[in-house]
Amino acid sequence: MSKIYYKSAEEVELIRESSLLVSQTLAEVAKVIGPGMTTMSLNKLAETFIKDQGAVPAFLNYNGFPYALCISPNEQVVHGFPSDYVIQEGDLISVDCGVIKNKYFGDSAYTFSIGELDAEKQKLVEVTKACLIAGVEQAVSGSRIGDVGYAIQKIAEDNGFGVVRELVGHGVGVKLHEKPEVPNYGQRGRGIKLEEGMVIAIEPMINAGTAGVKFWSDGWTVTSKDNKPSAHFEHTIAVKKGKADVLSTFSLIEEVLEKKHK
């Protein structure tokens, strides 16, 4: 799909429904994630939950990807395979989820902090989330794609972190990956003009060290080149005048995490 597919108000609502189901799925993961769990057990939980809601896990069999979730611990940036890896205290676990419901996709990701983090990981999580918020703030009608990328890049690099270049955000709709591409770096005033009817996934992938990455021979897993930790947060948003309409939510996840910590 080489051209941008603009969505009607009705289509935006269908994408919102799918995106909220992704958020609900990540909240189910939040209920159980912790030391001693395997990442595969999280994948099975998510796959069952999505199917029980009458939806389809969007990642499962997407271009041959064999799982419902991408789960990427620590130095893994994105696209990690769920496995018998046992989650440990101090881990960062990035979980990326997509669903198809009523023929429309939703896509969101959240990096979970397992117990007490070291100072570097704690700062990385806070900065990556701030990068996402800054990117979303720029995703309004009349802005440019470069404005979104610049906002993300500035916060990350001002904090001494690396912005992954090889992987980008994307349009979302009747396909998981549509035009336009949404890089996490850029120049203000450059790139495609954002207009109402665009629905995009903004997803900063920020490394604690170098921006460079390595691609594994499994064809999917991406790690930081220097094996330092990486974080990933993602929202699906609809471009509007004045303020982006965020179709996914972290509030469901964070309510669960707050209850667990009490």
Side-chain angles (χ1 to χ4, degrees):
M1 188 177 284
S2 58
K3 65 177 186 177
I4 295 169
Y5 171 35
Y6 293 86
K7 281 79 178 177
S8 66
E10 291 77 15
E11 287 176 305
V12 169
E13 291 312 308
L14 289 167
I15 299 169
R16 189 193 310 278
E17 198 176 331
S18 296
S19 298
L20 288 175
L21 178 53
V22 172
S23 302
Q24 289 166 345
T25 305
L26 291 172
E28 291 298 308
V29 169
K31 288 176 185 177
V32 300
I33 195 169
M37 297 285 298
T38 66
T39 56
M40 183 62 81
S41 66
L42 301 177
N43 177 75
K44 288 175 179 170
L45 177 149
E47 183 176 346
T48 300
F49 181 77
I50 292 165
K51 289 176 176 175
D52 284 350
Q53 311 309 308
V56 175
F59 297 170
L60 186 59
N61 301 318
Y62 178 80
N63 290 342
F65 187 82
Y67 303 104
L69 295 177
C70 299
I71 306 182
S72 308
N74 299 315
E75 75 278 2
Q76 291 186 19
V77 179
V78 283
H79 304 161
F81 281 10
S83 70
D84 58 4
Y85 176 82
V86 178
I87 296 169
Q88 298 168 48
E89 181 88 10
D91 277 349
L92 284 187
I93 307 290
S94 297
V95 183
D96 194 352
C97 179
V99 306
I100 313 165
K101 191 172 183 185
N102 300 319
K103 299 183 181 174
Y104 287 85
F105 284 81
D107 191 7
S108 182
Y110 193 89
T111 296
F112 291 92
S113 304
I114 309 302
E116 292 297 314
L117 300 181
D118 65 34
E120 181 181 58
K121 285 181 176 174
Q122 184 63 43
K123 184 181 176 187
L124 178 65
V125 168
E126 290 168 2
V127 168
T128 306
K129 197 183 276 189
C131 286
L132 175 59
I133 292 165
V136 169
E137 283 174 352
Q138 293 297 319
V140 295
S141 181
S143 288
R144 301 267 175 183
I145 285 286
D147 298 327
V148 176
Y150 175 85
I152 293 167
Q153 180 182 5
K154 178 158 178 40
I155 289 175
E157 292 180 352
D158 281 356
N159 281 280
F161 295 145
V163 179
V164 173
R165 300 293 205 275
E166 290 86 347
L167 302 147
V168 296
H170 50 90
V172 180
V174 291
K175 291 190 176 181
L176 180 58
H177 296 111
E178 298 183 356
K179 295 293 182 186
E181 290 191 340
V182 186
N184 295 305
Y185 58 92
Q187 292 178 283
R188 285 186 288 199
R190 296 289 182 89
I192 291 165
K193 192 175 184 180
L194 296 173
E195 299 176 80
E196 289 205 51
M198 286 185 182
V199 176
I200 56 175
I202 300 175
E203 50 177 323
M205 291 156 270
I206 307 298
N207 295 344
T210 178
V213 296
K214 297 177 285 192
F215 291 85
W216 284 17
S217 59
D218 64 18
W220 287 100
T221 309
V222 182
T223 58
S224 62
K225 204 164 197 175
D226 56 9
N227 292 320
K228 283 198 162 194
S230 187
H232 178 213
F233 287 94
E234 176 183 20
H235 273 317
T236 297
I237 69 106
V239 175
K240 300 276 186 185
K241 290 192 177 96
K243 188 178 181 184
D245 184 3
V246 183
L247 307 180
S248 47
T249 180
F250 292 154
S251 63
L252 300 175
I253 302 162
E254 288 168 356
E255 281 166 20
V256 169
L257 295 175
E258 279 171 28
K259 280 180 189 169
K260 281 173 76 174
H261 291 147
K262 277 180 180 172

